């Protein structure tokens, strides 16, 4: 592991120790966050898969209905019948915070007169297949909206998990080992200096002693 | 208040008008791309795209991956199911977990 490029002094070591503490704490928090996000993500992904299965199955049925209606009626008549919808699907969006990921939540407003009244046309010039297809579609469409919300949430969570995982790994395998290594290096260096200092002092003491002895012998 | 729209070929999107979605019938991928960016700008919260187009404009769709809105959802069109929706789901899982742990390669 690469050592950080710093001066081996006591003060730098103190700062580095502080950083190491923070990094370890951050690492633990990030890891917890990642685990929790992952738990939710997997739940969500399973739900999402089921929803999608359901929606795709139903929609295929709806298309079949429309194709038949299109075969029975003329294209113009079909378009005319659907030209002015009775419903309008409006969505109000609020934001929820899932583990510090801001995800949109959709709330749906079905502006319709009633459940029975979904057909935007009179029955005189249209075929029965069209009615069936539209009925089926109006049954799937709340599921479709739910699917949209879940899928968006899933995508956003996936991004956040990826980022968190990278951060955890960066801390675990780069930041923390580097700091530890640097601190160790500084401690070694300081110890070495300390020993050098000690030896020098002992030498100086010996020299001074020898000098003192010499002086005393001279005066005697 | 946000709206919901469907982008796709004419036959596929027509029916969705009945349930109150705005339909953007398109001919060709370029037109679909334009419709998508228009929809994103004009306050549509949810955009459904038929898979026939979605599979040809994945990069355009991916632009909105990190945005909160709109939610872009591929749905099967008249021309069939190409597994784009499941592919997207799978990619999300792979991105988060690092491996595909849910689907076990049953969808491609």
């Amino acid at each position: 592991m690469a050592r950080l490029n710093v001066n081996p002094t006591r003060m730098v070591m103190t700062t580095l120790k502080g950083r190491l503490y923070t990094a370890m704490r951050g690492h633990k928090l990030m890891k917890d966050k990642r685990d929790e996000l992952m738990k939710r993500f997997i739940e969500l992904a399973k739900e999402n898969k089921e929803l999608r299965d359901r929606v795709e199955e139903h929609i295929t049925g709806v298309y079949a209905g429309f194709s038949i209606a299109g075969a029975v009626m003329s294209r113009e008549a079909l378009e005319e019948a659907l030209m002015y919808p009775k419903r309008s699907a409006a969505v109000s969006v609020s934001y929820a915070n899932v583990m510090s990921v801001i995800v949109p939540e959709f709330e749906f407003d079905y502006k319709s007169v009633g459940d029975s009244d979904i057909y935007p046309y009179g029955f005189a010039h249209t075929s029965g297949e069209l009615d069936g297809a539209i009925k089926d579609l109006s049954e799937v469409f709340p599921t479709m909206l739910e699917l949209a919300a879940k899928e968006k949430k899933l995508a956003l969570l996936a991004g956040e998990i990826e980022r968190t995982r990278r951060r955890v790994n960066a801390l675990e395998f780069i930041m923390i080992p580097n700091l530890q290594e640097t601190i160790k290096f500084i401690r070694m260096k300081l110890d070495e200096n300390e020993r050098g200092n000690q030896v020098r002092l002992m030498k100086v003491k010996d020299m001074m002693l020898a000098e003192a002895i010499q002086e005393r012998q001279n005066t005697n | 208040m946000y709206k919901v729209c469907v982008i796709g070929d004419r036959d596929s999107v027509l029916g969705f008008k009945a349930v109150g979605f705005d339909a953007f019938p398109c001919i060709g991928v370029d037109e679909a791309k334009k419709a998508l960016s228009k929809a994103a700008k004009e306050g549509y919260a949810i955009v459904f795209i038929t898979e026939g187009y979605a599979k040809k404009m994945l990069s355009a769709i991916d632009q909105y991956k990190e945005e909160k809105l709109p939610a872009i959802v591929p749905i099967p069109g008249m021309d069939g199911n190409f597994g784009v929706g499941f592919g997207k789901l799978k990619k999300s899982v792979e991105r988060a977990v690092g491996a595909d742990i849910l689907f076990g390669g049953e969808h491609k």
Side-chain angles (χ1 to χ4, degrees), chain A residues 38 41-42 45 48-49 52-53 56 59 63 66-67 75 78-79 82 85 87 89-93 95 102 104 106 109 134 137-138 141 144 148 151-152 154 156 158-159 161-163 165, chain B residues 1-2 4 10-12 14-21 45-46 48 51 64-71 73-74 76-78 81 85-86 89 92-93 95-98 101-103 106:
Chain A
M38 199 64 109
F41 179 80
I42 287 178
N48 210 322
K49 183 174 179 269
R52 185 158 263 288
D53 270 330
E56 291 197 350
I59 277 192
Y63 283 135
F66 273 115
S67 316
R75 193 190 180 84
L78 188 65
E79 285 193 18
L82 300 171
R87 281 187 168 191
V91 184
S92 59
V93 181
Y95 293 98
I102 310 292
F106 300 129
D109 246 345
I134 286 184
L137 187 60
S138 70
F141 112 104
M144 283 171 68
E151 234 165 57
K152 190 76 211 172
L154 197 79
L156 289 173
I161 288 179
E162 194 191 22
R163 275 192 292 279
R165 205 182 54 213
Chain B
M1 222 33 137
Y2 295 89
V4 181
R10 206 172 174 76
D11 290 327
S12 305
L14 190 62
F16 290 98
K17 273 175 103 172
V19 287
F21 295 172
I46 305 177
F48 292 103
E51 293 198 340
Y64 301 97
K65 195 166 56 179
E66 296 284 320
E67 308 280 328
K68 285 177 210 107
L69 291 177
V73 185
M78 276 292 192
N81 184 347
F86 273 113
L89 205 64
S92 285
V93 174
R95 190 163 172 227
V97 186
I101 55 167
L102 287 182
F103 304 117
E106 56 179 291

Side-chain angles (χ1 to χ4, degrees), chain A residues 38-49:
Chain A
M38 199 64 109
K39 204 182 101 200
R40 295 200 192 189
F41 179 80
I42 287 178
E43 255 168 51
L44 201 67
K46 278 184 188 151
E47 277 173 37
N48 210 322
K49 183 174 179 269

